[in-house]
Amino acid sequence: MAILLNHVSYVYQAGTEMAVTALNDINLKIPDGQFIGLIGHTGSGKSTLVQHLNGLLRPTKGALYYDGEEYYSQGFDLKRLRSKVGLVFQYPEHQLFEADVFSDVCFGPTNLGLDRKEVELRAYTALKQVGIEDEYFYQSPFELSGGQKRRVAIAGVLAMKPDVLILDEPTAGLDPKGRDEILDQIKALQKESGITVILVSHSMEDVAKYVERIIVMNKGGVLFDDIPQKVFHEYEKLEEIGLAAPQITYIMNRINKELLPVSTEVKTIEEAKNEILRAMRLQHD
Amino acid sequence: MGIIKTSKLIFEYIRRDEDGNVEGITRAIDNVDLDIQQGDFIAILGHNGSGKSTLAKHINAILYPTEGTVWVDGKDTSVEENIWDIRQKAGMVFQNPDNQIIGQLVEEDVGFGPENMGVPTKEIRERVEESLKAVGMYEYRKHSPNRLSGGQKQRISIAGVIAMHPKCIIMDEPTAMLDPNGRKEVIRAARALHEVEGVTIVLITHYMEEAVFADRIIVMDEGRIEMQGTPKEIFSQVEKLKELRLDVPQVTLLAHELKKSGLKLPDGILTIDEFLYELERITGKQNTPGKMGIL
């Protein structure tokens, strides 16, 4: 179910001396099933944007559409929207509160007014989707490791069966392995269920391997919106606004400039390796 | 004896259930011997739960050993009279920039530590000024901290520690919540303090690129020191680091993968300059060494 943003602007404390424009004339289309990275430095407007998508903030100007229906129009079901566009906040494990893992995940679907059997089925499926084994179901969520807690929190949102899943910095504070595990899991989930996933992050390096589209926010506007390779190509621009391309982009650009003609449009170490080997073979022939 | 020394350090805590009944004992630090010299830059790596933060809290006398001893500047942390002295000698910077700032103005915040130590007003002013200059935040001295970015706030926290004239600063994932710019600012400030002021730095981090600047890396696992060495020595062991749930910088990994494919590259390449130099060497396009700017 596509989301459409049409000239969306948002001003915090509008009409006062303290007014700050957080979003400035945003036009975006978020179609079904995409895996999107939403990147920007602190204060670039990415969190404000995300809060618009699931109806936590109402635009000062412009409009949003979910499945063709305008947000806040007459008869628009905001509660349904919030179950369909699931938002996982930063450090979501701070929001766990139930006595055991399973009850925590049941909380959301129970509030949707579903019957017990459906609630439990959804909780079970969601926990499986994030890779939490049965043995943990009746443990206190507070006894789990950081990475596990975070996955339980994500399951809590998945149990609402969202069409769009937004994750705000899902890997913050995790060790490198924990970071890869969570992102691998989300990628698998996205592939299997076909839902749209929006990863909000500071780090291009983290999202490069996973996403098919990167939206770069700066000063409340969309600066770039393209496939990762094309966005990384603008690494000098990215640095100007306090971001950075993955280290691999810098490596390939330097090789290309100083050593060998290589394509600089690579996303992963694997691609870089193959590209360098290819260029070296060519040079030899 | 170095500025920080631990001998057979063990730390255990008792796990309790909701009713306060003992469920078991967890050993978070298991027999750690550590000797950090004045002026060292040490990076501590380790996965979540490996014991690195628990270790750091011992250096600042926030936690006390269950067994063994920790000395900071020759003073035993388990002796109560030493606590204030130790906390002044070994300052700590934490992960969340929003949890450690209390002043209404930047300069008030930085002056808080020395004021508590009873430093005369005139000297507080001098210390605040030099500390803020050391982290490049002097021009913000009259600003309100809550309008600053995360990286700026962390630099204020660091300045607050420096103003107490510590010999050592322990940074527990100071960049975890920052964007790339903020991370760069904080690491730059840490390196400057180390290089210019000779302050001992203990940096705990999950970002492998930040550990590249250290004199020595300590890798923790299950409460023990699993690996120890220069960045080059540590990052040469790509497979071992992965087993320990860690990572290496992308340039190191790329060189490692190319080596596995048959290229004659050395282990433990840490920077892009180094990588390009080595790659140039094997592609046979050797220029005069000066051009590539060898490290």
Side-chain angles (χ1 to χ4, degrees):
Chain A
M1 305 298 126
I3 300 178
L4 212 69
L5 286 86
N6 193 16
H7 298 288
V8 169
S9 295
Y10 185 78
V11 182
Y12 281 102
Q13 305 188 44
T16 72
E17 260 180 48
M18 310 274 284
V20 181
T21 304
L23 292 180
N24 192 6
D25 197 29
I26 305 270
N27 294 294
L28 280 175
K29 189 177 176 205
I30 297 166
D32 284 347
Q34 258 188 357
F35 201 145
I36 302 172
L38 180 62
I39 316 279
H41 62 82
T42 320
S44 60
K46 58 188 191 312
S47 294
T48 308
L49 176 66
V50 157
Q51 290 176 61
H52 276 82
L53 297 182
N54 84 334
L56 287 176
L57 288 175
R58 196 173 176 154
T60 314
K61 255 193 268 167
L64 288 97
Y65 301 85
Y66 178 76
D67 198 12
E69 233 185 303
E70 189 178 341
Y71 285 38
Y72 311 104
S73 60
Q74 197 150 37
F76 184 78
D77 188 348
L78 206 56
K79 199 173 163 196
R80 182 171 163 274
L81 174 81
R82 290 194 183 131
S83 75
K84 287 294 157 200
V85 182
L87 177 54
V88 180
F89 288 100
Q90 256 187 56
Y91 295 91
E93 60 275 22
H94 295 169
Q95 299 167 44
L96 298 172
F97 65 98
E98 282 279 8
D100 63 74
V101 166
F102 197 74
S103 315
D104 206 286
V105 179
C106 285
F107 181 79
T110 306
N111 271 0
L112 290 181
L114 302 168
D115 66 61
R116 196 69 217 156
K117 213 172 136 198
E118 171 71 11
V119 168
E120 287 179 359
L121 186 67
R122 282 187 177 201
Y124 184 82
T125 315
L127 281 163
K128 286 288 153 187
Q129 280 178 316
V130 296
I132 297 285
E133 297 302 327
D134 298 26
E135 61 196 272
Y136 295 108
F137 283 15
Y138 294 101
Q139 274 193 26
S140 159
F142 303 104
E143 283 169 5
L144 305 178
S145 76
Q148 285 172 327
K149 273 188 216 167
R150 199 161 291 182
R151 279 191 256 165
V152 170
I154 294 171
V157 174
L158 281 176
M160 313 277 283
K161 285 211 177 155
D163 294 325
V164 180
L165 178 66
I166 306 169
L167 299 135
D168 194 355
E169 295 270 354
T171 61
L174 296 184
D175 58 44
K177 184 80 186 295
R179 180 193 68 202
D180 292 349
E181 281 171 357
I182 283 226
L183 292 177
D184 285 343
Q185 204 98 51
I186 293 168
K187 179 78 192 177
L189 165 84
Q190 188 261 347
K191 251 187 167 164
E192 259 167 50
S193 61
I195 62 172
T196 307
V197 175
I198 302 177
L199 275 183
V200 181
S201 178
H202 292 319
S203 165
M204 297 277 186
E205 219 155 288
D206 282 1
V207 304
K209 209 169 112 194
Y210 300 95
V211 303
E212 60 198 277
R213 170 182 177 193
I214 289 181
I215 299 171
V216 178
M217 299 278 299
N218 184 45
K219 291 186 179 161
V222 173
L223 182 66
F224 299 115
D225 180 1
D226 214 325
I227 59 169
Q229 292 91 325
K230 296 275 182 224
V231 173
F232 299 158
H233 195 67
E234 308 284 343
Y235 65 96
E236 281 158 335
K237 259 288 192 24
L238 292 173
E239 272 172 31
E240 275 171 35
I241 62 161
L243 297 173
Q247 196 182 28
I248 201 80
T249 305
Y250 296 89
I251 298 172
M252 296 311 271
N253 274 289
R254 293 259 324 252
I255 293 178
N256 191 47
K257 223 180 273 169
E258 300 173 25
L259 214 57
L260 280 171
V262 290
S263 159
T264 54
E265 294 195 350
V266 301
K267 280 204 299 184
T268 62
I269 303 282
E270 182 68 20
E271 286 171 24
K273 181 187 84 176
N274 294 334
E275 178 59 21
I276 291 171
L277 291 174
R278 187 196 61 80
M280 286 178 73
R281 243 176 273 126
L282 217 65
Q283 190 197 24
H284 260 280
D285 294 341
Chain B
M1 188 189 284
I3 173 93
I4 298 163
K5 189 172 161 60
T6 73
S7 167
K8 300 196 170 42
L9 172 63
I10 292 175
F11 180 74
E12 290 174 336
Y13 61 89
I14 299 168
R15 293 195 315 275
R16 291 174 193 277
D17 65 12
E18 279 165 22
D19 306 320
N21 302 314
V22 175
E23 280 190 329
I25 293 175
T26 299
R27 185 171 278 204
I29 302 282
D30 190 5
N31 250 309
V32 167
D33 290 311
L34 198 66
D35 199 353
I36 296 174
Q37 301 302 317
Q38 173 69 42
D40 275 356
F41 189 143
I42 305 286
I44 303 184
L45 306 177
H47 60 80
N48 294 117
S50 60
K52 51 193 192 319
S53 288
T54 310
L55 178 65
K57 285 180 183 140
H58 277 85
I59 304 173
N60 194 241
I62 295 173
L63 293 174
Y64 308 106
T66 309
E67 282 175 46
T69 318
V70 179
W71 294 273
V72 174
D73 202 22
K75 292 201 163 73
D76 185 338
T77 61
S78 59
V79 177
E80 215 180 318
E81 302 93 85
N82 290 342
I83 287 183
W84 293 108
D85 221 19
I86 285 168
R87 293 206 180 134
Q88 184 252 310
K89 291 260 162 58
M92 192 135 175
V93 176
F94 297 92
Q95 190 181 108
N96 192 337
D98 295 317
N99 288 351
Q100 35 191 337
I101 290 185
I102 43 166
Q104 298 290 313
L105 292 177
V106 165
E107 58 178 10
E108 282 173 17
D109 191 85
V110 176
F112 182 80
E115 196 178 340
N116 265 1
M117 288 161 57
V119 174
T121 312
K122 186 168 167 281
E123 200 192 325
I124 294 178
R125 264 178 234 270
E126 288 163 12
R127 287 192 183 196
V128 167
E129 186 180 326
E130 64 180 34
S131 308
L132 283 171
K133 281 180 177 163
V135 296
M137 287 296 291
Y138 185 63
E139 56 188 300
Y140 292 91
R141 64 192 179 283
K142 299 286 182 199
H143 286 229
S144 162
N146 60 29
R147 308 286 289 189
L148 301 177
S149 72
Q152 289 172 327
K153 282 182 193 164
Q154 282 301 59
R155 279 148 72 203
I156 300 297
S157 300
I158 295 171
V161 171
I162 305 169
M164 294 166 76
H165 287 182
K167 289 192 167 176
C168 171
I169 302 181
I170 302 130
M171 304 187 179
D172 192 357
E173 294 191 43
T175 59
M177 300 175 83
L178 306 182
D179 60 27
N181 239 15
R183 281 174 51 196
K184 257 189 234 158
E185 288 169 13
V186 169
I187 294 302
R188 211 177 286 141
R191 291 178 69 190
L193 284 176
H194 171 245
E195 278 157 27
V196 182
E197 319 267 337
V199 178
T200 310
I201 306 274
V202 178
L203 172 70
I204 297 176
T205 184
H206 278 157
Y207 293 106
M208 304 299 135
E209 315 88 85
E210 296 175 359
V212 165
F213 305 117
D215 299 318
R216 183 153 57 108
I217 295 179
I218 292 171
V219 182
M220 303 271 306
D221 186 44
E222 313 267 319
R224 285 184 293 270
I225 293 179
E226 188 61 37
M227 299 165 81
Q228 200 169 165
T230 62
K232 210 170 200 58
E233 287 162 3
I234 297 295
F235 289 129
S236 295
Q237 305 176 55
V238 177
E239 312 299 336
K240 172 120 201 234
L241 286 167
K242 285 196 172 168
E243 271 170 39
L244 295 171
R245 301 179 61 92
L246 298 173
D247 209 353
V248 296
Q250 282 196 331
V251 66
T252 312
L253 187 58
L254 177 60
H256 177 77
E257 291 294 326
L258 285 168
K259 191 187 172 194
K260 280 205 292 193
S261 306
L263 296 193
K264 290 192 178 57
L265 290 166
D267 284 323
I269 285 178
L270 298 178
T271 64
I272 299 181
D273 281 338
E274 211 181 338
F275 176 65
L276 254 77
Y277 174 73
E278 293 294 344
L279 199 62
E280 183 169 31
R281 192 178 50 76
I282 56 172
T283 48
K285 272 176 65 179
Q286 184 68 288
N287 285 320
T288 45
K291 188 205 152 204
M292 300 304 300
I294 319 162
L295 302 165

